[in-house]
Amino acid sequence: LPLAQDKNGQSVVKLEDCLEKFMEGEQLDDVNAWYCPGCKKHVCALKMIALWSVPDVLILHLKRFQFDHCSVRNDIVRSKIDATVKFPIDGLDLRRHVLGPIDENAPPIYKLFGVSEHMGPTANSGHYTATARNSKDGRWYRYNDAHVGETTGDAAVTGGAYLLFYQRVRGSARWAGMEKVMKDKEIDPYGGLETDQ
């Protein structure tokens, strides 16, 4: 997910704003023009991304690195964006973002179970740590090389959070929610369609 710019110039960004930025339209330029099979021309189309369905385990990758041209070295420099992304520990609700069918027995609501963090100024250097929730007792632990210690989920909400690991809170959305749709229409999702011959 791209990191959205905070509207007030603060260094804290909401995950919801990053999701919105990911799904907003992007106007293609002449270099990236799309070939329209209808008019048979390259056009500067509007490219959009939408979610039809979401998996039971959701991994969100925060784009922490930006690429800039360095005129001194005539090279590309990758620098890190250290803005804190405020993400929910429990209750990440994606219902308003999902365009496809939503099974009320398996709504797209998630709880965080892990965070991979990057510390360091560039993509070429740094140190990775992790914070994870124990699936048996629900307690949180921080992993830093050979050191493991108890912590809280809120402690993972830092400017180093890089990968967010979420699990659906309730149910399982088999086949992107289509299993329930098929059953509602009295179609056996596990067998062939019966047709009149």
Side-chain angles (χ1 to χ4, degrees):
L1 297 176
L3 298 189
Q5 296 296 318
D6 181 69
K7 297 166 184 89
N8 301 321
Q10 302 295 317
S11 60
V12 176
V13 178
K14 295 178 189 166
L15 181 63
E16 181 65 29
D17 293 338
C18 296
L19 287 165
E20 291 288 336
K21 186 166 180 62
F22 175 71
M23 289 184 258
E24 74 183 14
E26 174 187 351
Q27 187 71 49
L28 299 178
D29 58 17
D30 289 331
V31 176
N32 295 303
W34 173 71
Y35 181 76
C36 174
C39 68
K40 309 246 187 277
K41 294 180 182 176
H42 283 89
V43 295
C44 296
L46 181 67
K47 177 180 82 169
M48 296 192 71
I49 295 176
L51 300 175
W52 175 258
S53 65
V54 285
D56 291 340
V57 173
L58 178 70
I59 302 170
L60 299 177
H61 171 209
L62 302 175
K63 291 187 177 179
R64 287 266 175 215
F65 301 102
Q66 61 188 9
F67 300 88
D68 299 309
H69 182 262
C70 176
S71 58
V72 175
R73 294 187 342 203
N74 196 24
D75 197 1
I76 300 294
V77 177
R78 293 176 281 194
S79 58
K80 185 172 175 200
I81 303 168
D82 285 318
T84 298
V85 176
K86 183 78 173 143
F87 50 88
I89 306 305
D90 294 298
L92 172 62
D93 188 345
L94 297 180
R95 285 180 289 197
R96 70 184 206 91
H97 297 291
V98 175
L99 301 180
I102 294 177
D103 182 349
E104 65 272 3
N105 296 317
I109 299 173
Y110 294 85
K111 69 177 179 180
L112 187 73
F113 70 88
V115 178
S116 176
E117 299 118 358
H118 176 269
M119 294 181 283
T122 70
N124 297 335
S125 64
H127 180 71
Y128 287 91
T129 59
T131 303
R133 185 189 312 224
N134 183 309
S135 63
K136 301 284 187 210
D137 63 18
R139 291 170 33 198
W140 286 89
Y141 295 90
R142 181 154 185 83
Y143 300 88
N144 186 351
D145 293 336
H147 304 286
V148 178
E150 195 166 349
T151 188
T152 64
D154 290 327
V157 181
T158 68
Y162 185 54
L163 293 171
L164 309 178
F165 298 86
Y166 283 94
Q167 182 172 15
R168 191 181 301 268
V169 173
R170 182 169 50 98
S172 177
R174 301 193 55 168
W175 302 340
M178 290 308 295
E179 178 185 47
K180 179 172 180 352
V181 171
M182 291 175 76
K183 285 182 178 179
D184 288 347
K185 294 183 182 285
E186 298 180 0
I187 300 170
D188 179 7
Y190 302 103
L193 294 175
E194 301 207 10
T195 59
D196 293 330
Q197 295 187 2

